[in-house]
Each structure stands twice: as C-alpha cells, then as structure tokens.
Amino acid sequence: MQVYLQVLAFGAFALGCFFLSYGIDESFEKTQITHFIYFLFPLITTFPELTVFAYGLISGNAGTKVAIGTVLGEPFIVMTLGLLAYKLWIKKPLKMDKGSSMSLLTFVFVAGLFLLSSYVFRYISVIMLGLFTVYEYEVLKAFKKEKYENIRRNPLIYTAVGLAILLLTGRYVVDSTINLAELLNVQPSLISFLIIPIISSAPEMISPFVFLKRKEQEQIASLIAELPFAMGVYPGLFMLAESLSVPFPIALGIVFSILQAVFLIYEEKAKKNITLFSSAVFLASFIIILKFL
C-alpha cells in the first residue's frame, strides 16, 4: 500500500504543477504577459521546488540532500529535457526578446558564482544574491509598464488549487525520494537532481505548449524565465546558512546547464538550431556518466 501511496503522491504533485500554468494562461488569455512571465511567473512556477525544498530542510540530513538536489536539478532538466521537447515541436531556431537574453546571462553568472561558492568560498553566495536582486529590479521596472486590464479572475482558481495540492503532497514526495534512494543505495541528492525536477519543473516545461496561442518570445520566456530565481535564491540562501559539498555529477549537470544557456544565446544570434542537438547530447552524456560513477 505504501508504494501505491507514493505513486499517488507523485501523480497528485504533477497535477498540481499543471494547474499552476493552466490557470495563469486562462486568466491572462487576452493580455500580453511578457514581463509578467519574467517577474511574477517564476515565483509561482518555482513553488513546487519551494515545497520540496522547505519540507526537505526540516526532514533531517537526507531530506536536506533531497531539497538541494531538487533546486539544483531544476535548471538542468528545464535546459535539457524541457528545451529538447519544445525544440522537437517547433523544429526551428528560437526567437527571443531582450528579457530572455538577460535571464540567460544572469543564470550563467549566478550558476558560475554558485560553483565558486561551493568549491572556493561559500560567502561568494552574497554576490549571487546581489546579482539576482539587480536582475529582479530591472525586471520589475519593465513589469510596471505593462497593463493588465482584461484579467479573468475565475481561472486563477486552477492555480490556487495547484498550490494547495503542492502543499499537501510535497512532504510525501520528499519521503518517497528518500525511500527510493535507500532502495537503490545512492545519494538522495542524485535521485532528486534527476527525478523530482522532471515533475516539479512541469509548470515550466509544459507552459510553452499551454501558451501555444501566444507569440514565440513569450513561449520561450515561460520556459527559461525562472532560471535566475531557481539558481540564485534557494541555493544562495542555503550557502549563507552553511557550507555545501556538491557531488561531482551535480556540478557537472550545472556546467551542462551553463553551456546550454550560452548555446541558446548564440543560437538566437546565429539563427541555427543548435540547442536541439546540444539538449540531447547533454542529457544523454549526463545519464551515461552516472552509470560509470
């Protein structure tokens, strides 16, 4: 029965993730939300990671590893599996606006600072948080210029229901991940780095498809806008509290995510479908390397 309950918890968690994006798109159906996606959308779409992160930190040492693995794995899954799925759908180079380029550049620097704070001096995380604050300030200025006059309130009930489901199931997801790690005799952080983000990143990975009626720039923004938040806030605050030893596979995944962000910026300028290939290569390479460790 316990196994069935664990599967049910993951299924309910995934459903809650879907409701987050669906409710927002239905509510803002007739409104441009470009800067909303950069400013407020990440606060909502990272809520799954927040619930796992919070429950993990209060669940002991193994739970802490699940929490860290989840927030660090989210950018990797989005930039490989999520981007690969979207590129297979559109089958062409991406068109981005300045906001997406700024998000990717901020992510590259924040992720690089995180690696330095992990292996050199953990208080470099102060710079991480400072850089993220500057980024959020610039996004806020753009957000204030947009008008939201045709918002439909009722569909936001879906988003509210999604948030409630995540609050109720987050703890069970953490416990199930710890049990799975013990069963497979691997570190909980490695399990959570790959498995939980596939579910918790559902709002970001499905949002380009939910937003299919919107322009391409908003579709890709919905996929990558949360990268600075996911990498800059939770890991940055954790590093201020205590030092963190990042296992080699996770560090490698972060490096792959950084390279993918660079390739994505170059793709937009070169107008070549680079990241369709690199997404598959990075994801396959990471899985193959794990098998030999």
Side-chain angles (χ1 to χ4, degrees), residues 86-191:
Y86 182 58
K87 293 303 291 288
L88 287 173
W89 177 265
I90 64 171
K91 299 177 181 179
K92 61 181 180 180
L94 296 177
K95 294 180 180 179
M96 300 189 297
D97 54 26
K98 292 182 180 179
S100 291
S101 298
M102 186 168 66
S103 292
L104 290 170
L105 283 172
T106 303
F107 168 72
V108 167
F109 284 108
V110 169
L113 289 170
F114 173 76
L115 291 176
L116 288 175
S117 63
S118 302
Y119 293 103
V120 180
F121 182 56
R122 69 187 178 102
Y123 290 112
I124 292 176
S125 56
V126 174
I127 304 177
M128 288 174 57
L129 294 170
L131 180 59
F132 173 76
T133 301
V134 172
Y135 166 79
E136 282 293 289
Y137 174 72
E138 293 298 320
V139 172
L140 174 62
K141 288 196 300 184
F143 170 74
K144 288 182 176 180
K145 295 179 181 179
E146 276 188 349
K147 296 181 180 180
Y148 304 94
E149 299 174 346
N150 299 314
I151 301 175
R152 298 163 57 204
R153 307 286 180 181
N154 289 341
L156 286 176
I157 294 175
Y158 288 107
T159 298
V161 169
L163 294 175
I165 292 175
L166 294 173
L167 283 173
L168 293 172
T169 58
R171 187 183 109 188
Y172 300 103
V173 169
V174 172
D175 292 341
S176 298
T177 304
I178 294 173
N179 293 336
L180 181 60
E182 292 175 350
L183 179 65
L184 299 177
N185 194 29
V186 298
Q187 295 185 44
S189 58
L190 291 180
I191 293 290

Side-chain angles (χ1 to χ4, degrees), residues 57 60-61 64-65 68 114 117-118 121-123 125 234-245:
L57 291 182
N61 183 52
T64 299
K65 291 180 179 179
I68 293 300
F114 173 76
S117 63
S118 302
F121 182 56
R122 69 187 178 102
Y123 290 112
S125 56
Y234 303 138
L237 292 175
F238 186 87
M239 291 297 294
L240 285 180
E242 58 181 281
S243 60
L244 173 66
S245 177

Side-chain angles (χ1 to χ4, degrees), residues 213-224:
K213 295 181 181 179
R214 296 185 177 276
K215 58 184 181 180
E216 187 177 326
Q217 288 84 347
E218 288 187 343
Q219 293 174 16
I220 187 60
S222 67
L223 180 67
I224 65 175

